[in-house]
């Protein structure tokens, strides 16, 4: 299933584009994200996309099932207000917290989620990777083909959002070069029949800076222009 570009109300105002170096503590990041989203909702701050990496951890979305946490002692587990189930964050994975004012972008949460999917898919195009979406499976997937073996699909990017007062927060995570073994402690997003992959796992020597450039260029196409901004913390 290919993915058409969604119809969104684009903003003429540039969205702040912030990148944090190093690893950012997850609880501190979430509090900063929520605080910024509240300011956006109140009209006291501009929209922001915040790119960062976290130390290795699991997050449990609002639909997480206890049985999908396979090894509770493997890594720290943090509850999350985003939609979805269990997922992993860690070094080598680009997390993008997307704080947009949806009241100025059509007030259509489904179109916003489709926009996030299209954003990731367009960014993957820069590396000649065909990302796709599948009904009933949240996120972005790639089909793996090997000679003499049946094809299978692995997830390369997760999507989990929350909207409050028509302002979005949480967002997407793209696997650039994370430790894929860390996914063994959970059933990622509650999906047992498919695996996970990354750009490097696909044989592409992509660095984080290259991934960020592709994400920013694709964001312009889907959501509108960006401008450099400081991280919230």
């Amino acid at each position: 299933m290919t993915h058409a570009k969604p119809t969104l109300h684009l903003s003429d105002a540039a969205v702040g584009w912030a990148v944090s170096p190093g690893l950012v503590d997850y609880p501190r990041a979430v509090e900063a994200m929520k605080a910024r989203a509240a300011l956006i909702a109140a009209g006291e701050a501009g929209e922001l996309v915040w790119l960062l990496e976290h130390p290795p951890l699991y997050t449990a979305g609002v639909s997480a099932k206890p049985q999908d946490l396979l090894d509770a002692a493997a890594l720290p587990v943090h509850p999350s207000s985003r939609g979805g189930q269990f997922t992993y964050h860690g070094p080598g994975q680009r997390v993008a917290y997307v704080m947009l004012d949806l009241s100025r972008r059509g007030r259509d949460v489904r179109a916003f989620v489709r926009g996030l999917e299209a954003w990731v898919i367009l960014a993957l195009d820069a590396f000649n990777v065909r990302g796709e979406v599948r009904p009933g499976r949240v996120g972005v997937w790639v089909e793996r083909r090997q000679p003499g073996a049946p094809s299978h699909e692995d997830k390369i990017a997760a999507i989990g959002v929350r909207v409050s007062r028509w302002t979005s927060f949480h967002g997407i995570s793209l696997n650039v070069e994370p430790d894929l073994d860390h996914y063994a402690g959970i059933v990622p997003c509650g999906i047992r029949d498919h695996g996970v992959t990354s750009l490097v796992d696909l044989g592409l020597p992509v660095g984080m800076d290259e991934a960020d450039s592709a994400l920013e260029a694709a964001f312009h196409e889907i959501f509108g222009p960006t401008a450099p901004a400081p991280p919230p913390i």
Side-chain angles (χ1 to χ4, degrees):
M1 178 180 175
T2 56
H3 201 65
K5 184 175 178 179
T7 302
L8 297 168
H9 294 189
L10 302 185
S11 174
D12 293 331
V15 176
W17 190 266
V19 182
S20 286
L23 302 181
V24 181
D25 178 71
Y26 180 78
R28 289 187 64 228
V30 170
E31 288 306 309
M33 173 185 61
K34 289 180 178 178
R36 178 58 178 255
L39 290 174
I40 294 169
E44 298 175 6
E47 297 176 309
L48 183 71
V49 175
W50 182 18
L51 276 61
L52 67 162
E53 295 172 84
H54 290 304
L57 58 93
Y58 299 132
T59 66
V62 296
S63 300
K65 300 179 177 64
Q67 64 268 28
D68 287 343
L69 180 59
L70 304 179
D71 186 353
L75 294 173
V77 181
H78 297 270
S80 174
S81 62
R82 62 164 173 80
Q85 302 185 41
F86 281 102
T87 195
Y88 166 75
H89 294 315
Q93 180 192 77
R94 175 53 84 206
V95 173
Y97 290 134
V98 182
M99 292 160 272
L100 299 184
D101 181 357
L102 301 187
S103 66
R104 296 194 290 117
R105 293 176 178 269
R107 293 198 175 196
D108 187 333
V109 176
R110 289 186 179 182
F112 170 62
V113 173
R114 290 195 299 269
L116 294 176
E117 294 168 343
W119 172 33
V120 174
I121 289 169
L122 189 58
L124 291 173
D125 281 346
F127 307 108
N128 294 315
V129 173
R130 181 175 179 174
E132 299 180 290
V133 295
R134 292 290 183 262
R137 281 194 260 140
V138 179
V140 177
W141 301 79
V142 294
E143 187 172 5
R144 311 289 295 272
R145 294 181 179 272
Q146 295 180 340
S151 66
H152 65 281
E153 294 176 342
D154 289 337
K155 178 180 277 192
I156 195 167
I159 296 173
V161 299
R162 183 175 176 84
V163 175
S164 176
R165 298 172 61 194
W166 290 110
T167 301
S168 67
F169 51 108
H170 297 287
I172 65 104
S173 58
L174 172 65
N175 287 343
V176 180
E177 191 180 6
D179 184 346
L180 296 179
D181 289 341
H182 283 163
Y183 281 93
I186 58 172
V187 178
C189 301
I191 299 172
R192 297 178 179 273
D193 299 330
H194 300 275
V196 291
T197 190
S198 69
L199 289 169
V200 171
D201 183 54
L202 292 173
L204 301 168
V206 177
M208 195 64 75
D209 288 345
E210 295 171 285
D212 288 352
S213 294
L215 284 168
E216 187 169 16
F219 189 91
H220 293 173
E221 293 294 321
I222 304 300
F223 292 105
T226 62
I233 55 174

